[in-house]
Structure formats: structure tokens, C-alpha cells
Amino acid sequence: MKNKKTHKWILYLLILGVVILTMETCKTHYFRSNYKDANKLLHDNKNLLTKPFLKAHLKNGDVSILRDTWKVDTRQNAVSGKGNHYDFNRKKVYEGKISIPIDSVAIFETNRSLEETENSRITGLTIMAGLDVAMGVFCLLNPKACFGSCPTFYINKHDNLHYADAEGFSSAVAPSLEYFDIDALDNQAFNEPHFSITMKNEALETHCLNHVNLMVYPVQEDERVYQTPSNTFYLCENNHPLSLAKGPEGTVTSLLVGKDIKERISLADENNMSSKEEICLEFNNVKNSGDLGLLISFRQTLMTTYIVYSALGYMGNEVGDLIAKMEMNNRMQGKLTNGLKEELGDIEVYVWNESKNSWEFQDGFYETGPIALNDQMLPLKNVNSSSEVRIKLVLNKGLWRIDYLALTNIKKEVKPIEIRTDKILNEGKTDHEALNQINTSDQYLISMPGSEYRFNFTLPKANQKYELFLYTKGYYLEWMRENWIKNKNLLKLRQLVENPAKYLRLEAKSYKIYEKTMEQEFWNTRINTDKFEYDEK
């Protein structure tokens, strides 16, 4: 009897085992057919380059994945092919032929280079994944130090990258973050009837330009026009040089008194990336203390580049999903653009008020980007009417490079004239399509890695000196590097977005490892536009 009972238990256990095994098998089968698994397989290293895909993240939250081949119907403004369609909850609801209106798409994602037949609107919405491996070149050992930039501009096209005259819309890393950016070209003495400037794409990025215009204002001898952080313009005269500058490391006057790219730089705090420091300034020979403004030439270090690359890495194989969500979520856009910026802070400016015996806050400078120097001016208020002016800068340690500081006298507020480009050269030849795209509000000039365009402008009058500013509007999309996808960490991403103060504190030691070496690697991994062409990868 006992043996019969034992056999029954054994039989029950065997049946239970079969049931569990069957359930696991069903579960595994179901899992392998759902969206997350499909997404994981798409970004698997073995498949990343061998199985072409195009993912369309729709504005209503659905996702379509087209495999192997697809085509664009420019008349219907749609892309079609065979694949799967997933609803908002990522449940597969259709498999077969799919036609997707391009206007319904928030973000595309692909592992295949796009061809000319795929119109610019698709290219301008597409995150490229894994093509750095196909090109076999960049950033494999140290992906967070890999070169990245928005469009870079050069008055002399042969200038070294370290002498870029402007970089456009550095913070616009997605279509919804598009904005206009104005950069002083620091080139006031110009008597020719025409002006030209070269735009390069020197990174693994897709640049989408809505406008590239020139802003000009006529000046006389000894006059300059300076731009404030809020894009107000002032005609100024005189230059009162810096007498003394002291930072935590000691006297730094020699680094800040001339515009020579010998910049004052500090390293980040090893315990907190948002630690602050002070630089005290003295101007002891101000001959005219009326309506003073503080001139500054500055740019960022690679700290924000490290943070942006880290954030993309934390997204991993869900980068398309998360950027698509951001495109449709204003709250998330605000957190991404404002939270971290507020934590890192401006270069805050304080003036010593003798009558109150205290420092008086004025305003701050902030421009994203480590490449081109920003030349700006901040009008000062309640300055003592004497020849001695004391100023204090409060800034984030390890975030800023400052090349130059001086005082000037403000004459009046002015409004520069905005001029559209009248000719664009692409590889030395006139590009009429590019000209139409850049001068039409609802179109974009798409610039791929290795691209180079020369913009020509006709100035209002010949034999007239003008102060020049470059107006750019657009956005760009970073290409996902293979090594970034391996660093997926959604909890870390959440901490970066929801609690940037804590993130900057906990990430400090990791950043310090990169800080020592990423400078050289960043500049060395730029794309040489003279040798590299996207179409020849």
C-alpha cells in the first residue's frame, strides 16, 4: 500500500514537472514573441549589423518594426514594408504588410544607413544604431570620451577644430528640443561686400538645420556690439583690462587678461560634481565707470558631454522608446533640459557694493558646449562710481573654461539686421536644394557625418565695418554606439532625471576616472570632413 502511495506521489511529481516545464516553455515562447524580446534581439551584437530593421515610434505610443527591406512613398508621405505592429502596451496586434504615414512618427530607429530615396524627413527623425561598428573607427575603447558636437562653424574652413568660431544649438539633442542659438563671431572689422562661413559635421550625429542666418550691425572705429545671455545687443566702447584675478589655486590673472585660448580650468570635486568655487576679480584702472558691462569669453569642459553620453548609455536598447516618449511629454522635456542645468548652475556674477558692504548678485552666463568660445557681455548694476571695481564669480568646479574677462562701457541697445544666405556650396558646387531647405521655415537641411557646407551672405553695404553674429536653429540626433547600448541602466537614468543632485554626487568618482584622459581622446576622435564621407562608409 505504501509503495502504491509512493508511486502516486512520484507520478504526481512527474505530471507537475511536465506541467511546469510546459508552462515555462509556453512562457518562454510568449516572451520571445513580445516587444521587449524583439527589441533586445534587434540590438543584439550579432544581429545589429546583419539584420536591417526600421522601428517607427508613433506619436500615439504604438511601435511598428519593419524588417529587412522597406520603401518610402514620397507622394503618400509614407514608409511601408513587412513587419510587426505593437500597441501602446507593447502587445503585438498585427504582422504582415504595414504602411506608416511619416507625419504619425515621433522617432525612427534603424541599424542601416539611409539612402537618398529616403526623404530628409525620415533621416531627420532617425536614431542610427551600431553604424560606428560598421565604419570600424571611433570610440570603441572609451565611448564616453568619444567626440561629439552640434554643427561647428569656421570662418576659415581650414582652421583647426580648437579654433571653431561657433557651434549651433548644443542642447537640442532631440526634435522637440529644437531652439535657436546666436553666437558672436568676434569679427567686427569687415569691409568686403560678402561674408562666408563653413559648417561641418565632425561627429557621429545627424544634424537637422532649420535656419542658418547672419546677424550684422554697422560699427565705427573703437565700437563693438556685444550680446547678453538673453540675446539683447548693446553697442559698446572702451575696454578696461583685468588687474587681478584669484581662484582657489591662487593668482590666475595671466590666464584671464588676454584672448589667447590660454584658459583657466579647474578639475571637478571628487565627491560631488556640483561643488562650487569662487574667482575674485579686481579692475583698478576704470577711467569711465558709467554703464559698465562685464565681458567674458568662455566655454564648457567635457563634463556635460560625459553626462549626455552616460544618459544615452543608460537608455540602452530602449533609447528609441524613451526619446519617443520624451518627444510627446512636455514634463519630461522640462526635467531633462532644466533639472541638470539648474543643479550645475550658471557662472554667477556678483559686484561688491561699497555702501552696503556686501556682494550684490547681477545675473549669470550659461552656454552648453565644449568646442567654440562664447563671447558675451553682462550689464552691471549699482557699480561704485570709482576707478576700482570688484567682482566675484561663483561657478561649478570642473565645468567651465574661461579665457578672457574685461569691462566695457555700454552706449545703447541696438538691433542687428538678420540676413539670409544667398548661396550654399556643397563640395565646391552650388547646392540649390540646400539653399531652398535652409531658407524655408518648414524644411530642414540634413547634415550627415563628414558633410561640409559653405554659406555665403551679401552684406547690406560695401566698405562698412559690421559686428557679426551667427543665428542657427535646429536640432541633432546622436548615433547610438555599440558600447553605449551595453551600459543600459534605467535606475541610473531615473536618478539623473528625477534627482540630479544625488546623481552628480554619486557619479563623481566615476567621472574623475574619465576626466583625466577624456580631453585628448575627445579631440582625437573627431571626424575629418576632408577624408570621411557618410555615403562611402
Side-chain angles (χ1 to χ4, degrees):
M1 190 69 178
K2 186 178 179 181
N3 284 340
K4 283 186 177 180
K5 285 185 177 178
T6 302
H7 289 156
K8 278 186 178 179
W9 275 108
I10 292 173
L11 183 61
Y12 291 153
L13 288 171
L14 285 172
I15 293 172
L16 182 62
V18 172
V19 170
I20 291 173
L21 184 61
T22 305
M23 287 175 64
E24 287 298 317
T25 304
C26 290
K27 184 179 177 183
T28 301
H29 178 72
Y30 169 74
F31 176 75
R32 295 191 69 78
S33 66
N34 73 14
Y35 174 76
K36 277 197 172 182
D37 192 55
N39 196 40
K40 186 178 178 181
L41 288 173
L42 288 176
H43 290 89
D44 183 89
N45 292 341
K46 295 176 183 176
N47 296 327
L48 195 55
L49 303 176
T50 57
K51 295 185 177 180
F53 69 86
L54 179 70
K55 286 174 66 177
H57 300 266
L58 307 187
K59 292 176 181 177
N60 66 358
D62 291 5
V63 174
S64 290
I65 301 177
L66 305 181
R67 297 176 186 275
D68 300 326
T69 60
W70 52 87
K71 61 182 180 180
V72 176
D73 186 332
T74 54
R75 289 178 301 175
Q76 298 295 324
N77 196 33
V79 57
S80 61
K82 288 184 178 179
N84 300 334
H85 185 85
Y86 299 84
D87 68 9
F88 184 83
N89 296 311
R90 297 299 179 263
K91 180 182 177 183
K92 189 168 76 174
V93 294
Y94 179 76
E95 182 172 355
K97 291 184 179 179
I98 299 173
S99 179
I100 308 164
I102 294 173
D103 289 341
S104 69
V105 178
I107 283 290
F108 285 106
E109 186 183 350
T110 189
N111 63 339
R112 199 203 71 184
S113 59
L114 299 173
E115 300 171 359
E116 289 184 4
T117 52
E118 290 157 318
N119 67 26
S120 60
R121 192 57 188 151
I122 288 185
T123 309
L125 290 173
T126 300
I127 299 169
M128 314 291 278
L131 292 185
D132 56 324
V133 181
M135 295 170 191
V137 278
F138 306 104
C139 314
L140 297 180
L141 297 177
N142 199 354
K144 291 179 185 175
C146 162
F147 183 83
S149 75
C150 40
T152 43
F153 292 86
Y154 302 82
I155 296 174
N156 179 357
K157 67 165 287 189
H158 299 296
D159 271 352
N160 182 286
L161 177 68
H162 294 276
Y163 296 91
D165 293 287
E167 54 180 321
F169 45 81
S170 304
S171 299
V173 295
S176 61
L177 301 180
E178 175 179 319
Y179 69 96
F180 74 85
D181 190 18
I182 301 174
D183 292 302
L185 295 176
D186 195 28
N187 186 321
Q188 90 282 19
F190 201 84
N191 291 311
E192 299 296 325
H194 302 286
F195 174 78
S196 297
I197 193 163
T198 297
M199 179 184 76
K200 298 181 181 180
N201 184 339
E202 301 173 281
L204 288 176
E205 299 168 350
T206 302
H207 298 162
C208 308
L209 292 111
N210 187 239
H211 286 299
V212 176
N213 295 339
L214 190 67
M215 300 178 72
V216 305
Y217 190 84
V219 292
Q220 303 300 318
E221 288 293 335
D222 301 324
E223 286 183 340
R224 296 295 307 266
V225 174
Y226 296 113
Q227 160 199 14
T228 70
S230 57
N231 293 324
T232 304
F233 298 84
Y234 289 97
L235 184 66
C236 299
E237 62 181 0
N238 303 326
N239 183 298
H240 309 289
L242 178 68
S243 304
L244 180 66
K246 286 187 176 179
E249 68 274 42
T251 301
V252 291
T253 315
S254 62
L255 296 174
L256 299 174
V257 75
K259 298 189 75 169
D260 50 13
I261 316 187
K262 295 177 181 176
E263 301 161 305
R264 187 270 175 184
I265 307 172
S266 64
L267 296 177
D269 187 322
E270 63 181 0
N271 296 312
N272 190 349
M273 291 170 71
S274 65
S275 292
K276 300 299 185 286
E277 62 180 353
E278 295 181 359
I279 302 175
C280 291
L281 314 173
E282 292 183 13
F283 298 86
N284 296 329
N285 190 27
V286 180
K287 295 178 180 177
N288 179 358
S289 60
D291 294 326
L292 287 174
L294 176 66
L295 301 176
I296 185 171
S297 185
F298 71 105
R299 56 180 169 166
Q300 289 188 324
T301 64
L302 299 177
M303 182 185 284
T304 49
T305 301
Y306 173 89
I307 295 170
V308 170
Y309 287 177
S310 295
L312 290 169
Y314 298 151
M315 296 180 190
N317 60 16
E318 294 188 41
V319 60
D321 300 75
L322 292 167
I323 290 182
K325 283 181 181 177
M326 184 187 72
E327 288 296 291
M328 309 309 299
N329 188 326
N330 293 333
R331 180 173 168 272
M332 188 182 294
Q333 293 166 17
K335 282 191 172 184
L336 279 174
T337 54
N338 298 324
L340 186 68
K341 179 178 179 295
E342 289 176 2
E343 193 58 38
L344 293 173
D346 296 345
I347 300 176
E348 297 179 352
V349 179
Y350 296 80
V351 169
W352 179 253
N353 188 314
E354 199 69 45
S355 59
K356 295 182 179 178
N357 198 34
S358 64
W359 291 106
E360 185 172 338
F361 176 67
Q362 306 287 307
D363 206 335
F365 297 98
Y366 190 99
E367 279 282 332
T368 303
I371 298 175
L373 285 161
N374 304 286
D375 293 294
Q376 296 185 358
M377 187 275 291
L378 187 67
L380 303 177
K381 54 193 178 188
N382 302 327
V383 180
N384 302 322
S385 55
S386 73
S387 61
E388 296 184 358
V389 177
R390 294 173 59 194
I391 293 175
K392 180 176 72 174
L393 306 180
V394 178
L395 60 163
N396 200 87
K397 286 188 69 175
L399 177 61
W400 301 103
R401 309 164 190 260
I402 302 179
D403 182 48
Y404 175 68
L405 290 160
L407 294 177
T408 188
N409 293 108
I410 299 171
K411 294 178 72 172
K412 63 178 182 179
E413 182 179 338
V414 296
K415 286 191 175 181
I417 304 165
E418 194 165 332
I419 301 171
R420 289 186 173 188
T421 179
D422 50 29
K423 189 176 184 180
I424 297 178
L425 298 177
N426 181 3
E427 296 183 350
K429 298 178 182 177
T430 301
D431 191 331
H432 297 288
E433 184 179 0
L435 181 65
N436 180 58
Q437 290 168 334
I438 209 69
N439 285 333
T440 305
S441 294
D442 61 352
Q443 293 192 34
Y444 288 81
L445 170 61
I446 306 298
S447 172
M448 302 302 278
S451 295
E452 186 175 303
Y453 293 90
R454 187 78 175 166
F455 294 82
N456 290 346
F457 300 89
T458 300
L459 299 174
K461 286 184 180 178
N463 301 317
Q464 168 66 57
K465 290 183 179 179
Y466 289 97
E467 192 81 50
L468 305 177
F469 299 86
L470 189 69
Y471 173 100
T472 56
K473 184 181 179 185
Y475 65 91
Y476 64 101
L477 291 166
E478 289 280 355
W479 290 18
M480 283 298 291
R481 282 62 150 175
E482 180 198 20
N483 283 342
W484 288 359
I485 294 173
K486 296 176 182 176
N487 294 331
K488 184 177 180 180
N489 189 335
L490 297 182
L491 289 176
K492 200 82 173 175
L493 178 67
R494 182 184 180 88
Q495 184 185 75
L496 171 58
V497 174
E498 299 288 344
N499 192 347
K502 184 176 182 180
Y503 173 83
L504 292 171
R505 192 170 63 253
L506 297 179
E507 190 66 13
K509 284 188 168 48
S510 297
Y511 174 64
K512 292 297 287 184
I513 297 172
Y514 274 86
E515 188 182 36
K516 295 177 182 176
T517 58
M518 71 184 297
E519 183 77 23
Q520 184 174 357
E521 294 182 26
F522 177 83
W523 298 108
N524 288 344
T525 52
R526 66 174 275 258
I527 287 176
N528 186 336
T529 57
D530 290 335
K531 299 179 180 177
F532 182 92
E533 288 188 23
Y534 168 74
D535 293 333
E536 294 180 355
K537 74 272 170 208

